[in-house]
Amino acid sequence: MSLRQPARATIRDVAAQAGVSVSSVSRVMNGEPHISPELHARIMRAVNRLRFEPHSAAQALRSRESKTIGCMVSDLSNPLYSEMINGAEEEFQRAGYVLMLAATRHEQDRETAFISAVRRRRMDGLLLFAGDNAHTDFTGALANLDLPCVAIDREVPGVPSVRADHRGGGLEITRYLIGLGHRRTALLTGRAALLPSSERLAGYRQAHTEAKLDVDPDLIRPQTQGSSIAFSDVCQLLQGPDRPTAIITLGTHMLAGVMDALASNGLRYPDDMSLVCIGDTDLARHATPGISALTWDLDQMGRVAANILLDRIRGGDEPRKIRPIYLPTRFILRHSGAKPRAP
Amino acid sequence: MSLRQPARATIRDVAAQAGVSVSSVSRVMNGEPHISPELHARIMRAVNRLRFEPHSAAQALRSRESKTIGCMVSDLSNPLYSEMINGAEEEFQRAGYVLMLAATRHEQDRETAFISAVRRRRMDGLLLFAGDNAHTDFTGALANLDLPCVAIDREVPGVPSVRADHRGGGLEITRYLIGLGHRRTALLTGRAALLPSSERLAGYRQAHTEAKLDVDPDLIRPQTQGSSIAFSDVCQLLQGPDRPTAIITLGTHMLAGVMDALASNGLRYPDDMSLVCIGDTDLARHATPGISALTWDLDQMGRVAANILLDRIRGGDEPRKIRPIYLPTRFILRHSGAKPRAP
DNA sequence: GGCATTCCTGGAAACGTTTCCATACTCTGC
DNA sequence: GCAGAGTATGGAAACGTTTCCAGGAATGCC
């Protein structure tokens, strides 16, 4: 159809075509004030005729702004993350930024590699999703970065963060189970090094302390997320001498493993075992009976984090409040909890 | 801790520090041959001392390669997509490319806006995930792009694609239901403008033709994805005079609505209604009874697409085979299908 | 009418690389 | 001992913008 375009138009071509200087074209493209209507019109005509599109590498080089946000996430296939990113991305799009994504798969090498990419590409900001707090090389590299950052459900020294109130959520659901009479509640909460897990555990402990109950460390299973791991964890717990009477588990992937384990041990919930899951899912909603779940607004979290980051980018280096912002969790009561059986 | 770094080191600083020319530094950084070991060592020492990191905008400007891949997806929060992207991203990372992500939310404006961003940023390639084939402005803009592209589950003229065999899958599951004796099978398959939906429908029709059955257009519900829509669709179908005896539905979000609709109409599967879902999910796996599902390898699809794109980028403009590559689907038989009740 | 502002425009120097060209040196084979 | 190929380095011109500086034309004020 169209001939192969020999070369893309540059700002120079536009200036020549319109018979004006390059600087005027630049001013028009950037919407600067003090431009006569005629000049504006003439330049825009040339821009359209030549289909001029500024080369953003050149812009970035000169203006020291890449209009780019880095986004580091451990596992993109986890819907918890992708939903937050979805929300954040929309805010960035609206502000004219493009998102650069990297999945680190919990590997420290990938984290530092991405930090390096962030530096080389002079990205304007960085969004950090939950990742291992134990990765110290990473926080070191980050400290030298001198770049607006916002962390999501992650603790990074000197970096403001947005978090769901996992501690409060853990407290609420544990209190609920204790209130039902449960004295032995298993907690399958994902990698211990992740902030949401450790916060949840803190809430769980607090609820037990309040009720003057001891917590059996065996009941805490801070394993990597995964349905088969949940399965074997639960089987193991069930074979022990002193079974738990309730289980708190992550909703994504793990809940399925837990349900399998119960079923293959001939147990039913809520009668033989109470169940609460963290993060509402189709499975929790539509299992029979429905499974009570702790939930929070992922899309909103992504958006809030994005806007804080944008503010910091625009506001320059103000050493804003670093205090984390907490978003509430909400407990959805369904029918997966009951009083423990009399022993 | 560390003083605020006044300015980042440039290749010039490195050259000065090492007492060599800029071009030598450039050569070393890019691993070019014909460099004496001493020079190499001297330069690397300077690089490390100054913590030099090349400015990728400058590199992109000069070398006309941005080492960047655009990735356009309609809805990032859909796990089907995020899992494919997760796979693709790993391949790109391995090859030294960074992924730039945009969620279009099925809005044509966002699609063209992103295409423009792709041009301005001189991205090296573009990955297109399933989107409305009806968006013609978009395909026009794309045709002018003259850039390596690969589409995933999407039909774009002149662009090679990777697709799951949705047609074959639709055929297989419809045959299965027809084999059980079903004559009226509802199909809730998502937006009609999406390739997977239309392909699935084609398979569905073919199975009916083979069996010399008519298809009732009322049974085909090409609605937007969403659990509440599935709910009302099914309720409507159940109130009609001539109920379907089987339902094929998308697994993500929609299956839940379907199950709700059945429950609230006092129906049970598989006895009152057979069920097959597209895309395996926790819910399909762990509902009781388990729900038969059509599945395919999302991670693999992302990787295959990424590698085709990388090949095209490296291989230059070879007008390769544009024929789509199909990945197989697999039918997982569970317990959600039965013979229809005698009327 | 002279002078200080403000408005509009152009020229040219950056920004930090890569790459082309030139040059000086080291081999190799005869 | 010399042409020619190959190796190792440096110099300088791009790449396509933004932005600083300068200057001419209006405008306002006394």
Side-chain angles (χ1 to χ4, degrees):
Chain A
M1 195 73 72
S2 67
L3 291 175
R4 190 184 176 69
Q5 288 136 355
R8 308 260 279 264
T10 76
I11 198 172
R12 239 181 214 92
D13 301 328
V14 176
Q17 166 87 220
V20 301
S21 74
V22 258
S23 34
S24 294
V25 179
S26 172
R27 277 189 281 259
V28 167
M29 294 304 290
N30 294 309
E32 285 179 25
H34 309 317
I35 299 202
S36 72
E38 310 87 70
L39 193 75
H40 182 95
R42 205 137 55 99
I43 289 178
M44 284 316 289
R45 223 174 305 133
V47 164
N48 291 327
R49 179 163 9 219
L50 299 178
R51 299 187 200 294
F52 170 62
E53 285 172 311
H55 190 316
S56 36
Q59 295 181 307
L61 179 57
R62 180 63 233 228
S63 71
R64 337 193 66 105
E65 272 194 331
S66 63
K67 287 291 178 184
T68 284
I69 305 281
C71 172
M72 197 168 104
V73 61
S74 55
D75 174 14
L76 189 55
S77 72
N78 186 333
L80 255 55
Y81 296 137
S82 57
E83 209 159 312
M84 290 194 273
I85 295 175
N86 197 46
E89 197 271 344
E90 172 146 26
E91 300 297 314
F92 289 132
Q93 213 176 101
R94 185 205 314 253
Y97 287 79
V98 169
L99 204 67
M100 286 206 163
L101 197 71
T104 62
R105 289 145 207 273
H106 294 288
E107 293 171 26
Q108 197 155 185
D109 291 353
R110 295 188 200 245
E111 291 188 347
T112 48
F114 187 59
I115 294 294
S116 165
V118 168
R119 301 181 57 116
R120 304 158 92 99
R121 303 186 110 94
R122 308 294 200 270
M123 297 186 197
D124 299 323
L126 180 57
L127 214 52
L128 293 165
F129 285 87
D132 291 28
N133 284 323
H135 288 183
T136 50
D137 278 16
F138 163 74
T139 53
L142 203 60
N144 287 327
L145 199 54
D146 185 30
L147 184 85
C149 280
V150 171
I152 296 186
D153 272 344
R154 179 166 188 163
E155 170 110 55
V156 186
V159 171
S161 61
V162 177
R163 311 178 184 180
D165 180 17
H166 299 292
R167 187 181 218 284
L171 180 62
E172 182 175 6
I173 56 184
T174 314
R175 273 184 185 153
Y176 158 75
L177 290 169
I178 291 176
L180 283 176
H182 293 279
R183 296 294 170 264
R184 294 182 57 74
T185 299
L187 183 64
L188 277 67
T189 184
R191 321 183 109 231
L194 264 42
L195 187 70
S197 304
S198 60
E199 288 288 289
R200 225 130 42 202
L201 177 56
Y204 170 94
R205 284 192 196 280
Q206 185 183 336
H208 281 80
T209 309
E210 285 174 0
K212 306 199 194 311
L213 292 171
D214 288 336
V215 304
D216 178 351
D218 266 6
L219 293 176
I220 295 163
R221 301 282 165 152
Q223 305 264 32
T224 307
Q225 188 161 345
S227 113
S228 59
I229 290 181
F231 181 87
S232 59
D233 261 350
V234 172
C235 286
Q236 202 181 321
L237 287 167
L238 292 177
Q239 272 142 29
D242 203 3
R243 287 185 170 183
T245 60
I247 298 177
I248 297 173
T249 178
L250 290 185
T252 326
H253 301 149
M254 297 194 83
L255 173 59
V258 171
M259 291 175 71
D260 278 350
L262 293 183
S264 64
N265 282 272
L267 297 181
R268 309 187 140 219
Y269 69 92
D271 302 327
D272 306 315
M273 182 72 71
S274 288
L275 226 48
V276 172
C277 87
I278 289 158
D280 201 14
T281 64
D282 275 352
L283 179 55
R285 274 187 288 268
H286 297 276
T288 38
I291 295 168
S292 302
L294 193 66
T295 186
W296 58 99
D297 192 336
L298 295 165
D299 184 82
Q300 179 68 7
M301 268 185 85
R303 298 186 123 87
V304 168
N307 283 315
I308 293 178
L309 186 55
L310 288 170
D311 278 355
R312 298 198 94 208
I313 291 172
R314 292 184 191 122
D317 274 338
E318 313 163 35
R320 302 266 187 139
K321 51 189 173 193
I322 300 292
R323 279 246 311 283
I325 291 181
Y326 285 97
L327 269 60
T329 58
R330 196 162 55 85
F331 183 43
I332 302 173
L333 187 60
R334 298 202 179 98
H335 314 288
S336 59
K339 293 186 178 168
R341 285 180 180 286
Chain B
M1 195 73 72
S2 67
L3 291 176
R4 190 185 176 68
Q5 289 136 353
R8 308 259 280 265
T10 75
I11 197 173
R12 238 181 214 92
D13 301 330
V14 176
Q17 166 87 220
V20 301
S21 74
V22 247
S23 34
S24 294
V25 179
S26 172
R27 276 190 281 260
V28 168
M29 292 306 288
N30 295 309
E32 284 179 27
H34 310 316
I35 299 201
S36 72
E38 310 89 69
L39 193 75
H40 182 95
R42 206 138 54 100
I43 290 178
M44 285 315 289
R45 224 175 303 132
V47 164
N48 291 328
R49 177 160 13 214
L50 300 178
R51 297 187 202 294
F52 169 64
E53 286 172 310
H55 190 316
S56 36
Q59 295 181 307
L61 180 57
R62 179 63 233 223
S63 71
R64 337 193 65 105
E65 273 194 330
S66 63
K67 287 289 178 187
T68 283
I69 305 282
C71 172
M72 195 169 106
V73 61
S74 54
D75 173 16
L76 189 55
S77 71
N78 185 333
L80 254 54
Y81 296 138
S82 57
E83 209 160 311
M84 289 194 275
I85 294 174
N86 197 46
E89 197 270 346
E90 172 147 26
E91 299 297 313
F92 289 133
Q93 210 176 103
R94 186 207 311 254
Y97 286 79
V98 169
L99 205 65
M100 285 205 164
L101 197 70
T104 62
R105 289 146 207 269
H106 294 289
E107 293 170 28
Q108 196 157 184
D109 291 353
R110 295 187 200 245
E111 291 188 345
T112 47
F114 187 58
I115 294 294
S116 167
V118 168
R119 301 181 57 117
R120 303 158 93 99
R121 302 187 111 93
R122 308 293 200 272
M123 298 187 196
D124 299 324
L126 179 57
L127 214 51
L128 293 164
F129 285 87
D132 291 26
N133 284 323
H135 288 184
T136 50
D137 278 17
F138 163 73
T139 51
L142 202 62
N144 287 327
L145 201 55
D146 186 30
L147 185 85
C149 280
V150 171
I152 296 186
D153 271 344
R154 179 166 189 163
E155 169 109 55
V156 186
V159 172
S161 61
V162 178
R163 312 178 184 181
D165 181 16
H166 299 292
R167 188 182 218 285
L171 180 62
E172 181 174 6
I173 57 184
T174 313
R175 273 185 186 154
Y176 159 74
L177 290 169
I178 291 176
L180 283 175
H182 293 277
R183 296 294 171 262
R184 293 182 57 74
T185 300
L187 183 64
L188 278 66
T189 183
R191 322 184 109 230
L194 265 42
L195 187 71
S197 305
S198 61
E199 288 288 289
R200 225 131 42 201
L201 177 57
Y204 171 94
R205 284 192 195 281
Q206 184 183 335
H208 282 79
T209 308
E210 284 173 2
K212 304 199 196 311
L213 292 171
D214 287 336
V215 304
D216 178 352
D218 266 6
L219 294 176
I220 295 163
R221 301 281 165 153
Q223 304 265 32
T224 308
Q225 189 161 344
S227 113
S228 59
I229 290 182
F231 181 86
S232 58
D233 260 350
V234 172
C235 286
Q236 202 181 321
L237 286 168
L238 292 178
Q239 272 143 29
D242 204 4
R243 287 184 170 184
T245 59
I247 299 177
I248 298 173
T249 178
L250 289 184
T252 326
H253 302 149
M254 297 195 83
L255 173 59
V258 171
M259 291 175 72
D260 279 349
L262 292 183
S264 65
N265 281 272
L267 297 182
R268 310 186 140 221
Y269 70 91
D271 301 328
D272 306 314
M273 183 72 72
S274 287
L275 226 48
V276 173
C277 87
I278 289 158
D280 201 15
T281 65
D282 275 353
L283 178 55
R285 274 186 289 267
H286 297 276
T288 40
I291 296 169
S292 302
L294 192 66
T295 186
W296 58 100
D297 192 334
L298 295 165
D299 185 82
Q300 180 68 7
M301 267 186 86
R303 298 185 122 88
V304 168
N307 283 316
I308 293 179
L309 186 55
L310 288 170
D311 279 354
R312 297 198 94 207
I313 290 172
R314 293 183 191 122
D317 274 338
E318 312 163 37
R320 302 266 186 140
K321 49 187 174 195
I322 299 293
R323 278 248 309 285
I325 291 181
Y326 286 97
L327 268 61
T329 58
R330 196 162 54 87
F331 183 44
I332 303 173
L333 187 60
R334 298 203 178 98
H335 314 287
S336 59
K339 293 187 177 164
R341 283 180 182 286

